[in-house]
Amino acid sequence: MDHVDLLIKKLTRYVSFGQPISSGSVFNQRISDPRIPISAYYMTMKLHNEEDRCYHEVWLTKEGLFAVTEAWYTETNVTRKLLHNNLTYDQLKETMGEEEAKAVVVRIAEIISKSEADDWSRSFNSRKT
């Protein structure tokens, strides 16, 4: 198991996986809004087409793989379409580029670091009372 796989495995202990909304209000999401049928955690986005306000978003799935959606943002609404699913980290690098894949690893490390600090802080404070 390589370094990225270990980070992903560790991250899955700290985040909640939900179904990303495929369309609806950015501010007031409803359960009835159409959803992409995967359980995932949002990682990052990259501008794909500025004129259309289209982005490619990267999601981490419960299985420790990646999904990429295409998202169009208009005022307060977003519409998403699943482009790729079940990508390994190496496949993510090929799809999104080396720089974007490295940014995902940095985000994973930041989430783990913050989560572990929060766990330590809660543990420390509970011992004091």
Side-chain angles (χ1 to χ4, degrees):
M1 195 175 262
D2 71 0
H3 176 69
V4 175
D5 290 334
L6 289 172
L7 285 175
I8 291 169
K9 186 174 176 120
K10 196 171 192 178
L11 177 69
T12 59
R13 293 187 303 196
Y14 295 114
V15 298
S16 299
F17 292 94
Q19 291 184 323
I21 295 199
S22 61
S23 62
S25 170
V26 174
F27 302 111
N28 189 17
Q29 299 173 349
R30 290 180 228 102
I31 300 227
S32 61
D33 289 344
R35 296 174 183 265
I36 296 171
I38 58 171
S39 290
Y41 182 80
Y42 175 80
M43 298 305 298
T44 189
M45 72 167 48
K46 176 181 177 181
L47 182 63
H48 177 67
N49 181 325
E50 189 172 1
E51 187 177 311
D52 293 337
R53 298 173 93 182
C54 179
Y55 295 83
H56 284 174
E57 302 170 318
V58 177
W59 303 82
L60 178 66
T61 68
K62 275 203 294 198
E63 297 76 27
L65 298 170
F66 295 95
V68 177
T69 56
E70 194 165 53
W72 296 267
Y73 288 85
T74 58
E75 302 305 319
T76 60
N77 287 311
V78 62
T79 302
R80 289 188 178 97
K81 176 177 85 172
L82 185 62
L83 290 180
H84 305 283
N85 197 7
N86 298 323
L87 297 176
T88 64
Y89 179 71
D90 288 335
Q91 291 170 322
L92 180 69
K93 281 196 288 191
E94 292 172 19
T95 303
M96 295 294 289
E98 183 93 21
E99 189 175 316
E100 209 60 37
K102 284 181 182 178
V104 168
V105 172
V106 168
R107 177 150 157 75
I108 290 171
E110 288 171 349
I111 293 168
I112 291 169
S113 177
K114 182 179 180 331
S115 298
E116 288 176 342
D118 288 349
D119 280 353
W120 183 85
S121 175
R122 277 193 294 275
S123 173
F124 179 75
N125 287 332
S126 68
R127 283 188 223 146
K128 289 170 80 175
T129 56

